[in-house]
Amino acid sequence: MADAVSFRVEGAAALDRALAQIDDVTQGQVLRRAALAGAEILRDGMVSRAPRERGDLAAGIRIQALEVPTGAEADIGPGHDAFYGMFLEFGTVKMAARPFMRPTVDADGPTAVTEAMQVLEREIAREVEKARRAGSR
């Protein structure tokens, strides 16, 4: 998805230390679950704010999880079947913009980041405990 929204959390040294206690594959799974939890909030906000006069833009708003070497990312926005959502968001030469993605990020972004961090903390704790139990056998 082009022109998607992403966010980055910095300064989470304690979470980095906790993540280091679990294997690389599990780290990727934990980070992906956290990114998708935040992305779902943004997708829901975009769905609720998407213009509905024509077509089915709201149904075409997708989340795409991306594999990146430094963690996890998710693109949120109109999929290929709702490409015209980008025209609505940014406008065209003949049509004024009718944004629904940027207002979602502005309104729901902090909630999405909070949710992602809560899922990350919960999943790390769960995986560290599983690793601890497996190591004590």
Side-chain angles (χ1 to χ4, degrees):
M1 283 175 263
D3 300 318
V5 175
S6 64
F7 62 87
R8 174 183 293 256
V9 176
E10 296 180 1
L15 289 175
D16 285 341
R17 286 191 297 277
L19 267 174
Q21 298 178 45
I22 55 181
D23 65 83
D24 290 345
V25 171
T26 305
Q27 282 181 27
Q29 293 168 347
V30 165
L31 290 168
R32 182 175 182 195
R33 287 192 294 262
L36 290 175
E40 287 174 7
I41 290 172
L42 293 175
R43 182 202 52 215
D44 292 348
M46 288 178 193
V47 166
S48 70
R49 290 177 180 90
R52 288 182 161 64
E53 290 80 33
R54 295 180 51 189
D56 201 4
L57 174 60
I61 296 174
R62 305 274 186 253
I63 298 172
Q64 181 180 358
L66 305 174
E67 291 186 29
V68 294
T70 58
E73 290 182 14
D75 283 346
I76 311 113
H80 295 294
D81 56 337
F83 66 92
Y84 56 91
M86 300 310 283
F87 301 140
L88 291 168
E89 179 72 15
F90 299 109
T92 68
V93 172
K94 297 183 179 195
M95 180 181 78
R98 297 182 51 206
F100 61 98
M101 291 188 286
R102 173 54 55 191
T104 296
V105 172
D106 293 343
D108 301 340
T111 304
V113 171
T114 298
E115 177 66 16
M117 292 302 292
Q118 289 173 346
V119 168
L120 185 59
E121 290 172 359
R122 184 174 58 244
E123 293 292 322
I124 289 172
R126 189 178 116 227
E127 294 298 337
V128 167
E129 179 60 24
K130 277 174 45 179
R132 187 189 62 74
R133 283 193 309 245
S136 66
R137 291 181 186 175

